[in-house]
Amino acid sequence: MTKGVLRFFFDYCAGGCLWAGDVATRDRLGAGPVDAAVYDLEGRESRKPRLVLSDAARRLRDQLDTEHSGYLNPLYQLDPSPWTQAVCDNFNASVDRLLAILRNELGADYEILDQQRRYVEDPALGKYLAANPKLAAIKR
């Protein structure tokens, strides 16, 4: 059996980070994040994850999914992200850690393509914050 192909990246509040990366994998696992459950409007699980991850991988993925949703500027998404370089560095390091865990857990069956952008502080952040004092830089 040939290895499936998975794309690794976070999409805002998608709940997962692994997506089918070729037609054969999509035919086998379906569309959407294949490592996340799907819930109906009442919060009931309507579809289980198609790939089962370890507890450690799920916890880190969920943490990063939540953190990732804070990258965009809450005032206007096209304006600079409020993330400082330290926050970007911490997020990027955690992304690298999760990718290593996923490759260790799934690498025998799947090739995982790293398509997650690594973030850097926007060079215009300081000037933007000075002009928008109600928005503070995120310094976690």
Side-chain angles (χ1 to χ4, degrees), residues 82-133:
W83 282 16
T84 62
Q85 189 59 49
V87 174
C88 292
D89 291 345
N90 287 335
F91 179 81
N92 295 339
S94 294
V95 163
D96 291 340
R97 191 168 66 252
L98 176 60
L99 182 58
I101 292 168
L102 294 173
R103 285 181 169 154
N104 184 55
E105 290 183 10
L106 303 171
D109 298 320
Y110 295 96
E111 175 186 0
I112 301 175
L113 306 175
D114 180 2
Q115 296 181 336
Q116 174 58 48
R117 178 177 160 207
R118 299 314 191 267
Y119 295 116
V120 295
E121 181 178 321
D122 190 302
L125 180 60
K127 185 176 179 181
Y128 180 82
L129 292 174
N132 295 279

Side-chain angles (χ1 to χ4, degrees), residues 35-126:
D35 59 315
V38 174
Y39 296 89
D40 64 21
L41 294 175
E42 285 77 40
R44 296 180 302 242
E45 187 177 82
S46 60
R47 186 182 73 211
K48 294 195 176 298
R50 278 122 331 137
L51 290 178
V52 179
L53 305 177
S54 68
D55 289 341
R58 282 194 313 274
R59 280 192 304 273
L60 183 53
R61 178 212 52 207
D62 293 347
Q63 172 195 332
L64 289 172
D65 186 51
T66 299
E67 288 179 17
H68 184 261
S69 67
Y71 176 76
L72 289 177
N73 187 305
L75 300 178
Y76 180 64
Q77 293 181 353
L78 298 179
D79 283 349
S81 168
W83 282 16
T84 62
Q85 189 59 49
V87 174
C88 292
D89 291 345
N90 287 335
F91 179 81
N92 295 339
S94 294
V95 163
D96 291 340
R97 191 168 66 252
L98 176 60
L99 182 58
I101 292 168
L102 294 173
R103 285 181 169 154
N104 184 55
E105 290 183 10
L106 303 171
D109 298 320
Y110 295 96
E111 175 186 0
I112 301 175
L113 306 175
D114 180 2
Q115 296 181 336
Q116 174 58 48
R117 178 177 160 207
R118 299 314 191 267
Y119 295 116
V120 295
E121 181 178 321
D122 190 302
L125 180 60

